[in-house]
Amino acid sequence: GAVVSQHPSWVICKSGTSVKIECRSLDFQATTMFWYRQFPKQSLMLMATSNEGSKATYEQGVEKDKFLINHASLTLSTLTVTSAHPEDSSFYICSAPSRTSGNYEQYFGPGTRLTVT
Amino acid sequence: EDKVVQSPLSLVVHEGDTVTLNCSYEVTNFRSLLWYKQEKKAPTFLFMLTSSGIEKKSGRLSSILDKKELFSILNITATQTGDSAVYLCAVATGTASKLTFGTGTRLQVTL
């Protein structure tokens, strides 16, 4: 199946700094990628849809100025958490759809665990 | 607003038991329903269901979708401790298959 990578797998940063997370589709092209956030013992919550060559679409309640998304190429989307605070500590996961047999299957990256101190 | 509800929220069973996990949904522009298993990292794919009434099987796991009643079940027979995980149900909608996840069912299999 298709492979999606994320980097870094974990990061610790100080409050007020910015952190960039990369999501790459390794063996297929993805015009769309999705960014999710998962707090402990909760389900995945969609944050935004990243669109290659255009602006991201953010879900209700997600601040677009705080979570900057850039989808610069067909294989790379980045999420930058700006001015991070402890409440932004979470597990961030990206996914990219790849079409098989007429249906889109979502391939998930391994996730990035962000801890803000 | 798209909605996916899973039940039960958590479940503890003994090794060898059979379990049934439930997922119901209310969405617009349905494309498919997916089941994932999540242990410590990102979810791993189990099944994708698009048609009603066709059971999908993989070893001791099976799943079926009912598009009329808007639900799906995931069955695990002869459970093992390695089946302990959170099982997530998600529904894909729209042209890019945006996923809406349920809350998950936390399954614990004890000896």
Side-chain angles (χ1 to χ4, degrees), chain A residues 10-94:
Chain A
W10 58 270
V11 57
I12 301 173
C13 70
K14 290 189 175 178
S15 196
T17 60
S18 294
V19 173
K20 182 189 275 189
I21 303 170
E22 293 185 348
C23 177
R24 291 181 188 273
S25 56
L26 295 186
D27 50 359
F28 66 102
Q29 294 182 333
T31 54
T32 301
M33 291 183 176
F34 299 98
W35 286 96
Y36 299 85
R37 180 167 52 183
Q38 185 176 35
F39 292 109
K41 299 201 175 179
Q42 293 188 27
S43 191
L44 278 74
M45 296 297 295
L46 180 65
M47 298 175 65
T49 303
S50 172
N51 303 300
E52 188 266 336
S54 64
K55 289 183 181 179
T57 307
Y58 290 82
E59 295 299 302
Q60 197 171 11
V62 178
E63 297 174 59
K64 62 179 180 177
D65 294 330
K66 181 167 180 64
F67 298 99
L68 301 179
I69 290 173
N70 186 288
H71 197 143
S73 76
L74 288 171
T75 58
L76 174 64
S77 174
T78 60
L79 168 68
T80 302
V81 183
T82 62
S83 186
H85 290 288
E87 57 266 30
D88 298 323
S89 298
S90 188
F91 191 48
Y92 291 85
I93 307 174
C94 70

Side-chain angles (χ1 to χ4, degrees), chain A residues 36 38 43 59 104 106 108-109, chain B residues 36 38 42 95 97-99 102:
Chain A
Y36 299 85
Q38 185 176 35
S43 191
E59 295 299 302
Y104 284 98
Q106 291 283 351
F108 285 88
Chain B
Y36 293 89
Q38 187 176 28
T95 51
S97 291
K98 169 181 154 178
L99 289 183

Side-chain angles (χ1 to χ4, degrees), chain B:
Chain B
E1 188 185 330
D2 294 340
K3 197 172 166 186
V4 178
V5 178
Q6 288 184 249
S7 65
L9 289 180
S10 67
L11 193 54
V12 181
V13 300
H14 292 296
E15 204 171 41
D17 287 352
T18 292
V19 297
T20 298
L21 309 183
N22 304 294
C23 176
S24 63
Y25 61 92
E26 287 179 44
V27 302
T28 52
N29 202 3
F30 173 93
R31 289 193 70 91
S32 59
L33 184 143
L34 302 100
W35 284 97
Y36 293 89
K37 178 182 182 182
Q38 187 176 28
E39 296 171 269
K40 291 187 178 172
K41 289 210 166 178
T44 54
F45 173 78
L46 294 175
F47 297 110
M48 179 166 68
L49 304 157
T50 55
S51 302
S52 263
I54 299 173
E55 186 183 51
K56 290 215 171 178
K57 284 198 78 156
S58 176
R60 296 176 293 102
L61 278 66
S62 63
S63 184
I64 197 160
L65 172 67
D66 185 329
K67 289 168 77 172
K68 186 180 172 191
E69 300 298 328
L70 307 182
F71 79 91
S72 172
I73 59 172
L74 174 69
N75 275 325
I76 309 175
T77 58
T79 51
Q80 301 170 358
T81 54
D83 295 327
S84 297
V86 174
Y87 290 83
L88 295 167
C89 169
V91 175
T93 57
T95 51
S97 291
K98 169 181 154 178
L99 289 183
T100 301
F101 280 86
T103 47
T105 293
R106 186 173 295 275
L107 173 66
Q108 186 180 348
V109 181
T110 61
L111 290 170

